[in-house]
Amino acid sequence: MRRFGRLGLSNSLVDTVRSYYTRKSAGTHGFCGKNFTWELRICAENGFLCYGKALHAAMLKTAPRTDLFLSNSLANMYSKCLCMVHACKVFDEIGHPDIVSWNTVICGYVLLGSTVLALRWLRKMMMSGVLPDRVTLTGVLKCCINDRDFGFGLQSHLLSIKVGLGSDAFVGSGLVEFYAHFNHLDELRKVCSGLVYKDSVFVNTMIGVFAKIGNLAEAIENFNWMLASSLAPTRASFVNLLSAVDSYDAQKEGMQIHGLVIKFGFEGDGCVENSLVGMYANCDAMGHAFDLLIYKGSCNLMSWTTLIDGYASCGFFQDAIELFCVVYNEFSIIDSVLLACILGISATSECSYLGTQVHSIAVRTGFDSDPCVMDALMDMYAKCLCMEDTLKIFHQGDVCHSLFSWSTVISGFVHNGYPNEALTSFCKMRGEGVDPDSVACISTLRACTSLHSVDQGKKIHAFIVKCGFQSDVSVQTAVLSLYVECGNPSCLRKVFEQMHKRDVISWTALISGYTKLGYHEEAIKSLIKMLQEEIKPNRFTFASTLATCTKLTATETGESIHTLIIKCGFETNVIVGSALIDMYSKCGKLGSAIKYFKEMPKTDIIMWNALLAGYAQHGYCLEVLGAFEQMQICGVEPDWVTFLAVLAGCSHGGFAAEAIKYFILMREKYQIYPMREHYSCMVDVLGRAGMFKEAVEFIDGMDVEPDVVILRTLLSSCVVHGCIQLGLAVAAKLIVSGKCETGAYVLFSNLLSVGERWNDAKKVREVMETSCLEGKMVGRSWT
């Protein structure tokens, strides 16, 4: 009996075992088969397969001929323990199986996730003359959801009507979830209106469905119907309803629901309290969430964990950590979920110091071997660029690692810049018999993208299609990104055309892909097709399309898209706003860019940078410097892009002294380390001003070696000012470096022409034509 105690069995189950062996040793064999049923139920509920097999063996000794009721209980135990081979054997030994027998096997395959076998057993049941009941139909509908099979789900709906269960509330709940999963809300409402009797379970399902899709109005409408029909709301009613309140605009409705929670006496329920905290956190009302728990003096660890996670989601990492310290030190309560939450904060903020401290707490409290905490530790170390520690924890775990552990290792390798190791881990995972999910496939696709390995990516793509993940939106986006980064527009187009469901994310991925690959006309055509399919673009769609208009200098198209942006309500979005300013500036309509900028109610650093770049491109140096000062007055902190625009403006205006001033300001006041682009701008400024001595000294004092762009910039200034000797030295350095491309050869030839060395200039042109793989492309205008 001690053997079972160590397995963590419940006391009642241990007593049952003790009773059975006492009877056996006493020679009492009148153990009726029905006495086994509740024991089998306990095994089924807790997943005790080994003990269930022991009971089965005892049954064979004491009751060789089991009745139908006991056989169904035995089959149910095996099904709930996901041992379908034994469940089917028990079923085959039943002489005349009833509907319960069939449902047991079908629901077992549903739990196992084997949709094909579940539907196959449904067909066998109907061929044997047994009609499905409410349990059968709801199980089949779950199969259709898992397998994304809308057609068979529709047939199941028709079958429910045929067998007289079309108005059953239990079946109706399954149909509501099915139609909601496939976003067929009209059919969902028809199911609801066709029901004669609606119980609280069905109404709660409706509330949960509308909450999941973000339709707060209809969720509240169903809740009000429940109250008007004198149906008492339950815990599930409030939990589902509160989950629909997920924005600041809905805070008023959330507070009204809070009042109803108090009215119906659910304020002391732990799950409802946790949902209230989550609701206030989603509404960015962290003060209300905190006051709720403090006022109640709550010791519900789940609610405190939700509050800490809410602070972290709002970006208040310090508050979240301080609250964790209070909970840990003063309340003396902690669990694996709370530790995983704090480790998630460490991973998001990439703070390895905090992560190692939480790791030590996990070791001290004995949670370091908890699978949830171990996975969180691995994720934290991977995102904090400590891949060695991730692998240590990974190898400390079980010999057979979980899917989540493998996915963490694969994504960690990708995040840390080891794409080859990520692909190797993917192969090892499959070698251990662990089937990857969509998350693992996405990480592996990103590894292929990092390697620019389109061949390996195609293999992963084929595997994704084989596993049925191709309809997942995130997977589709990762596949599209692979072909975009690998420069394969034909595969990009083919993958998109094969998609069964195209939403705004997939359309945006296609448009941004075309833009990145230079297929700008195709990007605009794709936007038109998207609108024809009545799919509303989002901010990223507009930003990508405006970038295409910028490349094409298609001002009229850009203005049309601006009109569409206003119609869709994105005119005040900062991402779209910066793209509009950039488009108008680069298309020669700086006045429109300035006007739009001034009309914006809120501006950020991205929009300021776009305005500064527009001024700089048009040579308005004074306006660049004025806008830079105004940006600082508005409290916007400049970044490296800001100073790049300021230096470019000084270069175009010939303001060398100002450029030097702002370059020093960037380093000393704002602690922004100069990049090659900044160095190139400074060389251009000094070169345009004819300050070649200062330019050479500046290059010699740089922290990096001058690249071809910096040397070519200096060479261009030498050509303009006729500085032959310095220009020859720069050209010689370019040639010796082996990076002398077509543009540098052209500048070298022009330099020799300025010095009237016509024969040498001709020879340089000839060398350029023979040495460079690609000739200089002939310029043309776009019409």
Side-chain angles (χ1 to χ4, degrees), residues 173-185:
S173 298
L175 287 168
V176 164
E177 291 181 358
F178 167 75
Y179 284 121
H181 179 79
F182 289 96
N183 202 28
H184 285 268
L185 300 184

Side-chain angles (χ1 to χ4, degrees), residues 662-675:
Y662 285 106
F663 186 82
I664 295 172
L665 185 72
M666 175 182 71
R667 300 189 66 166
E668 294 183 355
K669 181 179 180 180
Y670 294 100
Q671 304 297 315
I672 297 174
Y673 189 79
M675 302 175 70

Side-chain angles (χ1 to χ4, degrees), residues 581 592-600 603 607-608 611:
I581 293 171
S592 299
I594 297 170
K595 180 183 177 183
Y596 176 76
F597 179 85
K598 291 180 177 179
E599 291 175 351
M600 284 291 287
T603 55
M607 294 192 66
W608 277 103
L611 180 67

